[in-house]
């Protein structure tokens, strides 16, 4: 979709990367690290200052104290943390349960591991977890459940009731939990709850996160996985043969970022809340059915008022005739039919870009 945006001169509200830069104090820390000669291979599981900063941040956010050397593994972005976790802890034939729609690397990496993938579909308007359906899906072969909260692409935040229900299933059936929490600082309607913080869950949970979303530095690809030692061992075995190590100077800068004052994270949430309101109001005015987004920087909408048969057809029209890019989310489902009425927009863009996109849609889209 990003290539089509360039071809047609369209405004890109599709792919989830900001069109503005990250904070100066983090970039300056990277420059300082480069000039200080921190340019050779890093320790495989992370430079000590970043491992310590991750552990400190996790303590502040979840209340859990972890050993930075034994329970934190630095990776090349959260996508590598996902890959290392799956390849290091999942064996051929293991069942893994996902919640659809899901980030596409989940299914791809599970396929590489030879896993059997089951999907529980979250449906609009609130994308609530169908608890009994989930319970019925767990079998003697289930090795792990994977969650993403706040959730890409729906913007849903898993409720405490849902998380505790999933936790009970994991404990009762000796199932692991893989938690992708990259949008934890973009939680608008409620406080983010880390699954590892639920009683009895830390010992069976891998928590994955990254720098990119929170600090608008997606190109740096700095991520991490937090897990007890017996799970960290598997993650590190895979990580050693995926990337071995992650960019040394960027790790030093990431440590500075994670030690930012709380005011940074509060301002981030305020700024993104305003961007979300700008886009949501504009989408409603343009004629979309807009579903609630409690977290992330995505909004899911129903495009059917405009008379198109599916999401791909609508998104292609939106690029060619309206000049705006969105993502067709049917690619995030095991059954693409489940997502054919939906479209995902992102609001991680500057306000002028959001306004220009809204103006184009209000001017050119017509209900049928």
């Amino acid at each position: 979709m990003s290539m089509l945006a360039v071809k047609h001169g369209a405004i890109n509200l599709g792919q989830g990367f900001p069109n503005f830069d990250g904070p100066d104090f983090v970039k300056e820390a990277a420059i300082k690290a480069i000039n200080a000669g921190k340019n050779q291979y890093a320790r495989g599981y992370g430079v000590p200052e970043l491992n310590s900063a991750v552990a400190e941040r996790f303590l502040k956010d979840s209340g859990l104290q972890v050993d930075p050397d034994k329970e934190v593994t630095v990776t090349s972005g959260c996508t590598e943390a996902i890959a290392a976790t799956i390849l290091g802890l999942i064996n051929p034939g293991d069942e893994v349960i996902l919640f659809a729609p899901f980030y596409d690397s989940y299914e791809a990496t599970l396929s590489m591991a030879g896993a059997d993938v089951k999907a529980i579909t979250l449906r609009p308007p609130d994308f609530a977890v169908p608890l009994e359906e989930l319970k019925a899906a767990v079998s003697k072969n289930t090795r792990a459940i994977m969650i993403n909260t706040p959730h890409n692409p729906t913007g849903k935040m898993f409720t405490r009731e849902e998380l505790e229900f999933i936790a009970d299933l994991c404990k009762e059936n000796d199932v692991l939990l893989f938690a992708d929490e990259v949008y934890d600082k973009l939680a608008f309607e409620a406080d983010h709850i880390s699954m590892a913080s639920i009683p009895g869950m830390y010992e069976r949970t891998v928590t994955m996160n990254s720098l990119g979303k929170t600090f608008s530095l997606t190109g740096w690809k700095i991520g991490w996985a937090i897990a007890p030692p017996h799970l960290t061992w598997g993650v590190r075995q895979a990580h050693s043969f995926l990337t071995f190590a992650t960019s040394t100077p960027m790790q030093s800068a990431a440590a500075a970022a994670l030690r930012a004052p709380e005011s940074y994270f509060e301002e981030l949430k305020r700024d993104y809340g305003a961007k979300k309101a700008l886009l949501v109001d504009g989408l409603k005015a343009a004629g979309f059915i807009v579903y609630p987004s409690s977290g992330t920087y995505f909004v899911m909408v129903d495009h059917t008022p405009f008379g198109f048969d599916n999401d791909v057809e609508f998104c292609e029209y939106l690029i060619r005739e309206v000049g705006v890019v969105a993502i067709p989310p049917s690619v995030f489902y095991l059954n693409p039919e489940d997502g054919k009425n939906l479209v995902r927009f992102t609001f991680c863009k500057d306000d002028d870009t959001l306004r220009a996109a809204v103006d184009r849609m209000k001017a050119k889209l017509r209900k049928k």
Side-chain angles (χ1 to χ4, degrees):
M1 286 296 170
S2 294
M3 288 186 289
L4 284 173
V6 173
K7 180 179 178 181
H8 292 280
I11 297 171
N12 193 349
L13 301 189
Q15 195 171 353
F17 60 85
N19 69 340
F20 45 85
D21 217 353
D24 288 341
F25 79 93
V26 185
K27 294 184 290 182
E28 288 163 2
I31 294 167
K32 182 178 178 182
I34 291 168
N35 289 335
K38 297 180 179 181
N39 300 305
Q40 306 309 320
Y41 288 132
R43 185 177 66 170
Y45 57 89
V47 301
E49 61 182 320
L50 178 54
N51 289 62
S52 294
V54 169
E56 291 165 16
R57 188 75 247 168
F58 197 56
L59 177 61
K60 287 180 182 178
D61 292 341
S62 70
L64 295 170
Q65 189 156 13
V66 299
D67 186 320
D69 288 330
K70 296 179 180 179
E71 298 176 290
V72 176
T73 305
V74 174
T75 58
S76 296
C78 188
T79 299
E80 198 229 327
I82 293 164
T85 296
I86 290 171
L87 295 174
L89 297 173
I90 298 299
N91 292 313
D94 285 347
E95 283 182 358
V96 178
I97 296 174
L98 306 178
F99 293 97
F102 45 75
Y103 176 43
D104 50 9
S105 83
Y106 299 168
E107 183 190 5
T109 312
L110 286 167
S111 296
M112 293 179 203
D116 293 331
V117 180
K118 289 183 176 179
I120 302 299
T121 300
L122 308 178
R123 302 184 186 280
D126 59 357
F127 300 98
V129 177
L131 300 178
E132 292 308 313
E133 183 183 343
L134 173 61
K135 184 176 182 179
V138 176
S139 75
K140 61 181 176 60
N141 297 320
T142 304
R143 170 67 168 163
I145 297 173
M146 188 153 195
I147 68 168
N148 172 211
T149 183
H151 183 255
N152 171 19
T154 67
K156 169 193 170 56
M157 289 184 64
F158 283 62
T159 66
R160 180 170 288 279
E161 177 189 12
E162 290 170 337
L163 293 175
E164 289 179 346
F165 187 92
I166 295 167
D168 288 342
L169 283 178
C170 290
K171 289 181 282 188
E172 291 165 6
N173 296 279
D174 193 22
V175 170
L176 300 178
L177 193 288
F178 302 155
D180 175 351
E181 300 185 359
V182 294
Y183 298 100
D184 62 336
K185 296 303 180 190
L186 296 176
F188 304 110
E189 311 299 332
D191 290 336
H192 169 73
I193 301 169
S194 183
M195 180 59 105
S197 69
I198 293 177
M201 284 304 292
Y202 181 73
E203 287 301 307
R204 62 179 65 252
T205 299
V206 181
T207 303
M208 296 163 284
N209 211 322
S210 77
L211 189 79
K213 307 301 190 294
T214 304
F215 291 92
S216 303
L217 295 165
T218 59
W220 286 19
K221 299 297 291 180
I222 303 293
W224 53 87
I226 301 171
H230 67 283
L231 298 181
T232 291
W233 185 88
V235 174
R236 289 184 179 178
Q237 295 304 302
H239 167 65
S240 294
F241 296 101
L242 287 170
T243 62
F244 168 64
T246 297
S247 171
T248 303
M250 300 312 186
Q251 287 192 60
S252 294
L258 291 178
R259 292 182 170 124
E262 292 305 306
S263 58
Y264 172 82
F265 303 101
E266 293 164 2
E267 184 178 354
L268 178 81
K269 190 183 295 188
R270 281 197 305 271
D271 288 349
Y272 269 118
K275 293 179 184 297
K276 183 182 84 163
L278 195 164
L279 180 60
V280 166
D281 290 348
L283 291 170
K284 288 178 179 177
F288 291 97
I289 300 167
V290 182
Y291 296 119
S293 174
S294 300
T296 74
Y297 43 50
F298 300 114
V299 175
M300 197 82 102
V301 304
D302 186 322
H303 67 79
T304 56
F306 303 106
F308 290 86
D309 289 337
N310 59 63
D311 56 328
V312 174
E313 184 181 322
F314 174 78
C315 286
E316 288 176 347
Y317 173 86
L318 193 67
I319 293 173
R320 290 194 314 269
E321 305 300 330
V322 181
V324 175
V325 179
I327 293 293
S330 57
V331 298
F332 303 139
Y333 293 82
L334 289 185
N335 178 11
E337 285 290 302
D338 288 338
K340 71 176 185 178
N341 293 337
L342 303 172
V343 171
R344 189 195 76 178
F345 289 93
T346 186
F347 51 89
C348 59
K349 310 296 177 182
D350 63 70
D351 291 357
D352 288 343
T353 298
L354 293 172
R355 289 191 188 97
V358 165
D359 287 345
R360 289 186 183 187
M361 289 187 283
K362 286 162 64 175
K364 296 183 179 181
L365 283 174
R366 294 291 179 266
K367 290 186 178 181
K368 293 182 180 178

